[in-house]
Amino acid sequence: QQSCTWGVRLGQLLLSAKKQDAESFYEKLKLVRKEQVVPLSAASYECGTYQRGYEYIVRLHMLSELEHAFTELQETTAGSTPGLTKLPPHWSDRLEMTQNSFRAKEPILAVRRALLSLRPQ
């Protein structure tokens, strides 16, 4: 039986990125985004929407950074640009825009560490 939790889905995306499997990566990315948007839109009808929905916003933030990093890695293998040789300049700005809490920032930083480990040595 296959699990479909957020952690497992994120792991599947990172594995596809590591294998440079673009078809699988984008297929899973589309599915995972949909899985995050549905509860976010449902939460928008409830009281306390912002706090309840923020977890899904952070997850979408992480997916966006994962997609951009994967695109850069793809370009690296194609030989057109150096890709992920240095930290993307927008990372610090994006992190500043998140809530100033460990709960919001830690998952983003964990995904970034994983992304940096994918780059060619």
Side-chain angles (χ1 to χ4, degrees):
Q1 181 178 352
Q2 244 185 348
S3 177
C4 60
T5 64
W6 162 249
V8 171
R9 295 286 196 207
L10 185 60
Q12 291 171 340
L13 278 168
L14 288 168
L15 185 60
S16 292
K18 183 175 180 145
K19 291 179 177 178
Q20 296 285 316
D21 183 355
E23 183 180 336
S24 173
F25 178 83
Y26 288 113
E27 180 182 308
K28 285 179 183 17
L29 181 64
K30 183 179 177 181
L31 174 68
V32 176
R33 274 199 175 123
K34 182 180 177 185
E35 289 176 348
Q36 301 312 305
V37 170
V38 169
L40 179 60
S41 70
S44 69
Y45 295 109
E46 301 171 11
C47 189
T49 299
Y50 185 76
Q51 264 323 108
R52 186 160 311 156
Y54 199 75
E55 174 186 359
Y56 299 104
I57 293 169
V58 168
R59 289 177 178 183
L60 290 168
H61 177 124
M62 293 162 59
L63 292 175
S64 175
E65 289 190 2
L66 180 55
E67 181 179 21
H68 287 112
F70 181 72
T71 302
E72 288 184 34
L73 285 171
Q74 290 292 103
E75 291 173 358
T76 299
T77 56
S80 59
T81 63
L84 283 183
T85 55
K86 58 182 180 175
L87 293 178
H90 63 277
W91 274 10
S92 60
D93 295 336
R94 287 178 60 91
L95 194 62
E96 254 181 62
M97 298 301 288
T98 61
Q99 282 181 352
N100 195 19
S101 72
F102 177 78
R103 189 173 175 214
K105 293 184 187 285
E106 193 278 331
I108 295 168
L109 294 173
V111 165
R112 288 178 178 182
R113 282 190 297 274
L115 291 172
L116 291 172
S117 73
L118 295 178
R119 65 185 176 172
Q121 300 299 325

